[in-house]
Amino acid sequence: MAPIPGSGLAKGLAVTLRTMTKKSVTAQYPDAQPDLPPRTRGVIGLFEENCTVCMLCARECPDWCIYIDSHKETVPAATPGGRERSRNVLDRFAIDFALCMYCGICIEVCPFDALFWSPEFEYAETDIHDLTHERDKLREWMWTVPAPPALDPAAEEPKEVATARKTAEKLAAAQAEPQEGES
């Protein structure tokens, strides 16, 4: 059966009339802050204490917008007769948000949980050069990162936790047996 001529026009007008009768909703943004979901991607925060300068985030970034500089520092031996160790010390950690595409790959590949999403999104600048945030600014964003959601109480216990708990129970039972024998 062939479509009736003008039926497309009638459907279009019907959609227009339905839309015209609905009340419009306008968000008065600067005056009223938007209600964002708790894990919104805004800006990236740096937890500097966890950063080991492994450079994975900078290598995996498709935009090459992460800049890291470091130097090696010798750490004295922890015990007498031990050997000195060398470790990387972070000198510069910067993210150029003018280049960043907010893909989150840097956060996903970080093995030490040094990078996190912050829900903050109001960091516009008048000069594009000011969108390169150094580690001090990234550290400030870290304090706006929300706590992770609570674990599902119905989920099964992780294997690592279960193994550690069983080992602790065995050790406690082994220590309790000699004490009972002494009594």
Side-chain angles (χ1 to χ4, degrees), residues 14-25:
V15 169
T16 302
L17 289 173
R18 270 196 312 265
T19 307
M20 283 176 48
T21 59
K22 290 182 182 176
K23 185 177 185 252
S24 63
V25 178

Side-chain angles (χ1 to χ4, degrees), residues 96-157:
D96 188 352
F97 286 105
L99 296 176
C100 182
M101 64 180 182
Y102 304 92
C103 64
I105 293 174
C106 56
I107 295 169
E108 294 297 322
V109 300
C110 182
F112 302 103
D113 289 334
L115 297 173
F116 293 91
W117 282 116
S118 167
E120 296 295 320
F121 62 93
E122 296 175 321
Y123 54 95
E125 299 288 344
T126 55
D127 185 13
I128 197 167
H129 299 294
D130 294 336
L131 283 174
T132 302
H133 293 180
E134 297 293 331
R135 70 182 186 183
D136 295 336
K137 184 69 173 175
L138 295 173
R139 188 181 312 118
E140 288 176 25
W141 293 120
M142 185 61 211
W143 305 123
T144 63
V145 172
L151 296 175
D152 184 6
E156 69 179 54
E157 189 175 38

Side-chain angles (χ1 to χ4, degrees), residues 6-138:
S7 63
L9 178 64
K11 287 180 185 177
L13 286 172
V15 169
T16 302
L17 289 173
R18 270 196 312 265
T19 307
M20 283 176 48
T21 59
K22 290 182 182 176
K23 185 177 185 252
S24 63
V25 178
T26 304
Q28 302 296 330
Y29 165 61
D31 300 329
Q33 292 294 320
D35 187 25
L36 299 172
R39 303 301 286 175
T40 300
R41 290 183 177 191
V43 70
I44 298 170
L46 171 68
F47 190 54
E48 193 174 334
E49 289 77 19
N50 286 359
C51 184
T52 61
V53 196
C54 66
M55 305 282 213
L56 276 174
C57 54
R59 280 191 303 231
E60 296 296 323
C61 179
D63 292 333
W64 293 86
C65 64
I66 299 175
Y67 311 110
I68 301 174
D69 292 329
S70 67
H71 70 275
K72 289 214 181 268
E73 195 173 84
T74 305
V75 179
T79 59
R83 67 182 181 109
E84 294 180 336
R85 307 272 180 184
S86 67
R87 67 179 183 106
N88 287 326
V89 177
L90 188 65
D91 292 330
R92 179 180 187 223
F93 193 106
I95 299 177
D96 188 352
F97 286 105
L99 296 176
C100 182
M101 64 180 182
Y102 304 92
C103 64
I105 293 174
C106 56
I107 295 169
E108 294 297 322
V109 300
C110 182
F112 302 103
D113 289 334
L115 297 173
F116 293 91
W117 282 116
S118 167
E120 296 295 320
F121 62 93
E122 296 175 321
Y123 54 95
E125 299 288 344
T126 55
D127 185 13
I128 197 167
H129 299 294
D130 294 336
L131 283 174
T132 302
H133 293 180
E134 297 293 331
R135 70 182 186 183
D136 295 336
K137 184 69 173 175
L138 295 173

Side-chain angles (χ1 to χ4, degrees), residues 175-183:
Q175 289 176 352
E177 285 178 11
Q179 292 175 358
E180 290 175 5
E182 292 174 3
S183 308

